Amino acid sequence: MLKHLLRGSVFIVMIAAAVGCRPSIEKGISTKIASLSGTTELGTVEYTVKKIVRASDNQIWTVGDRKILFSTTSYLKAGVKLDNFSEDNVSFNKKDNSVIVTLPKACLLSFNMPPEQIRTEYESYGVFRSRFSEAEQNIILQMGEERIRKDIDNLGILKEAEKNASEFFVAMFNQIGIEKVNVIFE
């Protein structure tokens, strides 16, 4: 009888120690938030955009016209800025074991159109016209970059960046035992 009582007491002490050593969810939230404190941005999606950029120069006072066509490849990275992310962005409801995470809306984090990925595919100019100068070509390529930037919403990159950021935070908080995670972008 004493042997069973002693064994039962040891078992109860082990359970109490295990429960007492288990970190609280609040501490887990603080730890996760602290792990992101040095992060200024969370890149969640990258796109490769191939675009044809063309220009035509038909001046009224000059005989002949000029045309140029470039193929370009651009690399876009989108995600959310986390430079102001803190515990104020996370609201924990102990009652239903849920968290609401408030993040800024996704934005374009980087845009890269490397020169080695730009090719002149076609160029023509009349007998009385000169070729496009390097400065003119740069202006045309800048206009192509502006068109890509304006078309970002149509590409769906920002929507996908928010979806991926949401999945990241859901997984992160599920990992510490939080059952419901709602991510809001403002």
Side-chain angles (χ1 to χ4, degrees):
M1 172 89 168
L2 183 61
K3 191 177 186 183
H4 291 289
L5 188 60
L6 189 58
R7 216 182 273 170
S9 300
V10 170
F11 182 68
I12 290 171
V13 169
M14 286 174 51
I15 290 175
V19 170
C21 292
R22 197 172 120 203
S24 70
I25 290 183
E26 289 93 345
K27 183 157 173 55
I29 292 170
S30 294
T31 302
K32 292 294 184 185
I33 292 169
S35 71
L36 293 172
S37 67
T39 308
T40 57
E41 56 189 38
L42 177 65
T44 58
V45 68
E46 290 187 3
Y47 271 46
T48 301
V49 177
K50 295 183 182 280
K51 182 154 183 80
I52 300 296
V53 179
R54 65 178 178 225
S56 181
D57 179 14
N58 301 337
Q59 295 181 349
I60 296 171
W61 58 87
T62 307
V63 177
D65 63 344
R66 316 187 282 173
K67 296 179 183 192
I68 194 163
L69 184 92
F70 296 101
S71 64
T72 65
T73 302
S74 301
Y75 303 98
L76 289 68
K77 182 171 81 168
V80 292
K81 298 234 181 217
L82 294 178
D83 42 1
N84 294 322
F85 188 75
S86 69
E87 290 194 22
D88 294 338
N89 296 85
V90 179
S91 174
F92 175 57
N93 183 334
K94 215 178 219 184
K95 193 180 223 179
D96 66 352
N97 192 26
S98 67
V99 158
I100 297 174
V101 181
T102 306
L103 297 171
K105 289 200 173 287
C107 63
L108 187 65
L109 299 173
S110 70
F111 184 102
N112 183 20
M113 186 187 291
E116 62 272 7
Q117 296 287 324
I118 299 170
R119 290 189 0 209
T120 304
E121 299 292 342
Y122 175 79
E123 183 177 13
S124 75
Y125 45 94
V127 177
F128 299 105
R129 301 295 306 272
S130 63
R131 298 182 79 158
F132 284 92
S133 70
E134 194 171 315
E136 289 172 318
Q137 289 181 28
N138 285 336
I139 290 169
I140 294 165
L141 289 168
Q142 285 173 351
M143 291 185 324
E145 179 180 335
E146 288 172 16
R147 286 186 206 133
I148 293 171
R149 286 181 183 272
K150 285 180 183 175
D151 206 31
I152 285 176
D153 287 337
N154 296 333
L155 292 173
I157 187 171
L158 298 179
K159 193 174 206 173
E160 188 173 348
E162 287 182 357
K163 179 182 141 303
N164 292 345
S166 182
E167 289 174 4
F168 171 82
F169 280 94
V170 167
M172 183 177 81
F173 287 116
N174 283 165
Q175 198 175 44
I176 59 173
I178 297 173
E179 296 169 8
K180 297 180 215 162
V181 181
N182 186 16
V183 181
I184 299 169
F185 295 93
E186 295 182 335

